[in-house]
Amino acid sequence: MGESVSLKDIAKMCNVSVSTVSKAMNDRADVSSAKKEEIRKVAKEMNYVPNYMASALKNQYTRNIGVILSEDTGQGLMHEHFARILNSFKDTVEERGYVITFLNSSNSPNRFSYMKQCQYMKFDGVFIVCADYHQEEVRELLASNIPVVVIDHTMKRHVNIASNQYGDMRRLLQFVFDRGHRKIAYMHGKNSEVTRDRLLAYRDFMNEHHLDIPKEYMYTCPYRDVERASALTKAMLALPDRPTCILYSDDLTAIGGLTTMQEMGIRVPEDISIAGYDGINIAGIVRPRITTIRQDTVSMGIQAGNKLINRIEFPGIGLEGEKVIVDGMVEPGESVGVIGK
């Protein structure tokens, strides 16, 4: 029976210590990839089944991770970007014997605070996919000793898994620039850490290439606000010296801008070019396909899962904040034309 195989049996077969086997099975960095693969192969051949319940009792773990995915932020599971990260995170922690439970983020007067929910459910750690970090209950949770991993938000004591907003934005701008565009407008999102990094990249790139940034070329558009994106698109199109390319805050607002242009009889990319951000599926379905940045949501979820579990199981490493940067890539699409061709 698989249950009778112990770490000691695997260690004997691989001629290593029990500690090395345990580290390999838990994907510790201090064991080489080759040795991990060898040990896991032997464990599989021996039909080893990890006794997670015994481990939980010994270490006082519940192997239950709380997830905060606040719909109040306008993101939530309806946003494909966050749904992809969460799916990757779920797969990662389940492979290591953990389960996830969503924290109640409703506006119900009977709802417990995040901290009380964590205490009641005895969560080993919390993954904050998206939340309002100005909320008192969020700050209370972050000030506690519960291991926390967040997405795209720098914390002093916790792990931040972040898309390379600055670097990815520069890559998108370079792609647009290489296609001959010099009049580049940016319809950016509302103030946030993500927006600030992208805006800094935009300003730095434009200044380094000695490109003007007229005030009419920069507007604030809340993420995924298609209606406002449509109105601002009309305003940019009415400019006497309109841009040759408009960068949108995300793919949905870019599609909103595309629809507005098509309704006005303006061709993309023949008459004007556009680009989005995120790399959601619909960006590749519409015609022309939207030029965008595809964020590596799979890697972000894997990093979040492993970092959180490591902090749970090895609490000594969780004393300081840590930021993990994950690069995205430019999806060329069809919506950015070449100037002069």
Side-chain angles (χ1 to χ4, degrees):
M1 294 293 289
E3 289 82 351
S4 64
V5 178
S6 68
L7 295 182
K8 185 177 180 180
D9 297 325
I10 300 171
K12 184 177 180 181
M13 184 66 68
C14 296
N15 196 29
V16 297
S17 67
V18 173
S19 174
T20 299
V21 174
S22 177
K23 290 178 180 180
M25 300 301 287
N26 286 287
D27 199 28
R28 287 288 300 278
D30 48 349
V31 178
S32 70
S33 297
K35 182 59 68 175
K36 287 178 188 176
E37 185 176 351
E38 176 192 344
I39 291 172
R40 289 171 180 173
K41 182 180 179 182
V42 170
K44 185 176 181 180
E45 291 172 349
M46 295 178 71
N47 294 319
Y48 170 69
V49 177
N51 190 343
Y52 289 129
M53 184 58 70
S55 175
L57 291 173
K58 179 181 177 181
N59 298 291
Q60 296 184 327
Y61 301 146
T62 63
R63 307 197 81 87
N64 193 5
I65 293 173
V67 174
I68 296 179
L69 190 68
S70 176
E71 301 291 342
D72 292 342
T73 60
Q75 312 294 335
L77 277 174
M78 295 303 292
H79 194 306
E80 187 179 321
H81 170 72
F82 292 109
R84 285 176 173 177
I85 293 174
L86 182 60
N87 188 60
S88 177
F89 175 84
K90 175 178 176 292
D91 289 345
T92 300
V93 299
E94 285 181 348
E95 286 179 0
R96 294 185 64 175
Y98 287 74
V99 296
I100 66 171
T101 301
F102 285 97
L103 276 78
N104 184 347
S105 60
S106 72
N107 293 320
S108 169
N110 298 318
R111 181 181 72 90
F112 284 168
S113 69
Y114 289 140
M115 192 65 219
K116 287 186 177 180
Q117 290 181 62
C118 289
Q119 293 169 339
Y120 180 78
M121 296 295 293
K122 294 182 170 59
F123 290 132
D124 293 327
V126 175
F127 179 38
I128 302 180
V129 187
C130 54
D132 181 355
Y133 291 94
H134 297 292
Q135 282 187 334
E136 178 61 35
E137 63 175 328
V138 175
R139 293 201 299 267
E140 178 189 25
L141 175 62
L142 294 172
S144 73
N145 292 322
I146 298 175
V148 176
V149 169
V150 303
I151 293 294
D152 287 326
H153 192 83
T154 302
M155 307 299 304
K156 290 182 178 179
R157 297 177 53 243
H158 303 292
V159 180
N160 172 25
I161 309 298
S163 288
N164 190 351
Q165 307 293 346
Y166 184 89
D168 290 347
M169 187 66 177
R170 287 189 65 102
R171 278 186 274 274
L172 180 60
L173 283 158
Q174 188 66 57
F175 177 84
V176 171
F177 183 86
D178 289 346
R179 294 206 159 198
H181 294 272
R182 301 296 182 265
K183 298 178 181 179
I184 307 170
Y186 184 26
M187 200 179 297
H188 57 82
K190 284 190 173 181
N191 185 37
S192 68
E193 187 170 331
V194 168
T195 299
R196 289 192 293 272
D197 284 348
R198 294 184 192 177
L199 267 174
L200 179 60
Y202 172 74
R203 290 194 177 101
D204 284 353
F205 186 92
M206 298 292 279
N207 290 332
E208 288 168 15
H209 291 81
H210 308 290
L211 303 179
D212 292 333
I213 310 177
K215 63 179 181 180
E216 297 85 2
Y217 278 21
M218 293 183 65
Y219 280 109
T220 301
C221 179
Y223 292 104
R224 307 177 73 219
D225 190 336
V226 176
E227 185 176 346
R228 181 163 174 79
S230 175
L232 293 176
T233 296
K234 292 177 181 177
M236 286 189 177
L237 293 175
L239 293 173
D241 186 22
R242 76 185 189 190
T244 63
C245 183
I246 302 175
L247 307 182
Y248 289 83
S249 58
D250 57 85
D251 290 338
L252 283 180
T253 54
I255 292 170
L258 172 64
T259 302
T260 298
M261 292 173 185
Q262 291 174 335
E263 290 173 349
M264 297 173 66
I266 296 174
R267 300 170 303 166
V268 175
E270 292 84 357
D271 300 327
I272 191 170
S273 294
I274 65 172
Y277 207 104
D278 283 342
I280 62 176
N281 289 336
I282 195 173
I285 296 174
V286 298
R287 291 295 181 271
R289 291 182 292 114
I290 302 295
T291 300
T292 187
I293 286 291
R294 178 173 291 278
Q295 300 183 78
D296 191 352
T297 51
V298 173
S299 292
M300 293 178 74
I302 292 172
Q303 288 276 12
N306 285 325
K307 288 291 183 181
L308 182 55
I309 291 176
N310 287 345
R311 290 213 166 193
I312 291 169
E313 298 183 353
F314 306 96
I317 67 174
L319 302 178
E320 297 180 357
E322 180 182 359
K323 188 172 185 177
V324 179
I325 304 294
V326 180
D327 288 336
M329 62 178 291
V330 175
E331 289 280 358
E334 304 164 335
S335 64
V336 176
V338 178
I339 294 292
K341 292 187 179 182

